[in-house]
Amino acid sequence: MATKLNQILAVEKGVKSDTQRKVTDAYHTIQKNALLSGISRTYQPIDDEGEHLPAESTRVQVQAEDLLKQLGTALTRLFDVTATKDWANCVARADVKVEGAVLLESVPVTYLLFLEKQLIDLHTFVSKLPVLDAAETWTLDQSTDCWRTEPVKTTRTKKVPRNHVKAEATDKHPAQVEVYHEDVVVGFWTKIAFSGAVPRKRVNELLERVTKLQDAVKFAREEANGTEVTDQRIGDKVFGYLLG
């Protein structure tokens, strides 16, 4: 039964972690001199009447060559799985189709992965675009290439002092005058608002397109990952040379 790229991808992570653990264990073991050291010591008295002492011996528990072979075996599996994946990535391709139409032809699976990540960032950016205030009516102004509102006219007023005579002057008393201020229209403001934001409809359209392309890229990646792979035997060649 043929192996597919997605099956290799599924086991790759486990092989990596298992190999890393074995390499780390071997690295720590090789630094423990006591495990690689042995001794044999016997005692012979100067004459038969001398004290007899028991022999002492310690066996070598770890052989450096054995560790190298074990390391080679573990790394061979990793080298083969990675090579099989990388070789397959060179031929794993698929079309990106949006609404039944081919947008991108024969795209390599590695580029499809790149596209997926980029489209996530693009989706985030589009969703954060500034939107025109829905409370206003906007039209595109050709001269400024911006959105603009209809002119709104407002008045400008100014407080003008006025005198109110409460009591007329007499021979005995001056006139009683009260000063007050009256708002008098002195001019008109005409306000037009401009904006570089985009209509909500435009944002929704862009988000819909990005989402469709995201789905299309995911489908294409799944199709490309279904490519049958040829098992590569790289590790034996590498470690056959290194440990030969």
Side-chain angles (χ1 to χ4, degrees), residues 148-159:
R148 57 173 285 174
T149 60
E150 293 299 316
V152 176
K153 201 168 186 178
T154 56
T155 58
R156 177 176 179 262
T157 60
K158 186 176 182 181
K159 291 189 181 296

Side-chain angles (χ1 to χ4, degrees), residues 20-189:
Q20 184 60 49
R21 179 178 53 80
K22 290 178 179 177
V23 169
T24 302
D25 289 346
Y27 178 75
H28 290 153
T29 300
I30 207 74
Q31 296 180 76
K32 297 176 181 177
N33 291 328
L35 297 178
L36 287 89
S37 301
I39 191 174
S40 176
R41 191 166 71 149
T42 57
Y43 180 76
Q44 177 68 42
I46 197 167
D47 54 42
D48 291 340
E49 295 178 0
E51 183 180 5
H52 290 269
L53 299 175
E56 297 176 2
S57 66
T58 303
R59 291 180 176 273
V60 171
Q61 299 178 59
V62 173
Q63 293 278 1
E65 282 292 343
D66 290 342
L67 278 178
L68 282 171
K69 290 177 183 176
Q70 293 169 20
L71 201 62
T73 301
L75 286 170
T76 293
R77 173 66 173 150
L78 176 63
F79 279 32
D80 288 350
V81 167
T82 304
T84 300
K85 180 196 73 172
D86 289 347
W87 258 255
N89 278 340
C90 294
V91 295
R93 295 170 177 265
D95 293 341
V96 177
K97 300 176 183 177
V98 180
E99 297 180 335
V102 176
L103 180 67
L104 305 172
E105 290 185 10
S106 192
V107 183
V109 67
T110 47
Y111 193 78
L112 291 171
L113 288 168
F114 163 78
L115 267 182
E116 273 193 73
K117 293 177 181 177
Q118 294 299 312
L119 288 172
I120 290 172
D121 293 340
L122 190 58
H123 189 281
T124 301
F125 181 83
V126 172
S127 66
K128 300 295 184 184
L129 283 173
V131 176
L132 293 173
D133 184 358
E136 300 281 359
T137 300
W138 299 90
T139 55
L140 193 59
D141 185 81
Q142 299 298 330
S143 61
T144 60
D145 199 25
C146 289
W147 293 93
R148 57 173 285 174
T149 60
E150 293 299 316
V152 176
K153 201 168 186 178
T154 56
T155 58
R156 177 176 179 262
T157 60
K158 186 176 182 181
K159 291 189 181 296
V160 177
R162 302 291 192 198
N163 294 327
H164 172 63
V165 179
K166 296 176 70 177
E168 296 291 341
T170 65
D171 294 339
K172 296 181 179 180
H173 301 285
Q176 293 184 22
V177 179
E178 182 183 66
V179 179
Y180 68 97
H181 290 81
E182 181 182 356
D183 288 330
V184 177
V185 175
V186 295
F188 299 93
W189 282 109

